[in-house]
Amino acid sequence: MNVVEQTLGREAAVTALTRSFLPLHKSAFGLAVGAAAALLIFVATAVVLIRGDHDVPLWLLRQYFSGYRVSWTGAFVGAAWAFFGGFVMGWFLAFVRNFLVGMLLIYIRAKAEIAYSRDLLDHI
């Protein structure tokens, strides 16, 4: 492996490592989770309505989503509630992940600074 390949490999590793510690955008993550949850509820209700298979207990979602019924109107109501709940959950998960990664980076930096300055007096 020549020097150029080593340098490119090292730069790629540093770039990948740097990207893994970047914070998540809370609103974007909330929108993504909310959209996925809304789509899931809508499609599940639509499949039950199209197939006519009422053995699936989707009516239990009324406990969580006010106004939800196993109907086309209920599919939209459930999707709206699922979007709201998914957005809140996604935003909070991104917040907690960003907080924990920040704490990890502070810990790593402090540990490195302590290791660097451990033998400082030996060099004076």
Side-chain angles (χ1 to χ4, degrees):
M1 200 176 216
N2 63 22
V3 176
V4 174
E5 290 175 350
Q6 288 178 346
T7 305
L8 289 177
R10 189 174 299 133
E11 287 176 6
V14 168
T15 301
L17 191 60
T18 303
R19 285 184 182 171
S20 66
F21 286 110
L22 287 175
L24 290 176
H25 193 278
K26 294 183 289 290
S27 297
F29 195 71
L31 283 171
V33 173
L39 185 65
L40 177 71
I41 295 298
F42 184 82
V43 167
T45 305
V47 166
V48 166
L49 288 172
I50 291 170
R51 292 173 79 190
D53 184 19
H54 294 285
D55 292 335
V56 180
L58 281 180
W59 55 270
L60 290 172
L61 287 174
R62 279 189 270 181
Q63 302 292 322
Y64 302 104
F65 301 150
S66 178
Y68 177 79
R69 301 279 184 252
V70 182
S71 65
W72 288 108
T73 305
F76 288 103
V77 170
W81 275 110
F83 179 81
F84 174 74
F87 178 84
V88 170
M89 188 179 354
W91 189 94
F92 184 72
L93 284 173
F95 173 79
V96 169
R97 187 257 182 203
N98 291 343
F99 179 77
L100 291 176
V101 167
M103 290 290 102
L104 177 67
L105 290 175
I106 289 172
Y107 172 75
I108 290 170
R109 180 177 289 151
K111 195 171 178 180
E113 287 176 0
I114 289 170
Y116 177 74
S117 63
R118 184 169 308 221
D119 62 346
L120 178 67
L121 293 178
D122 293 340
H123 298 290
I124 293 180

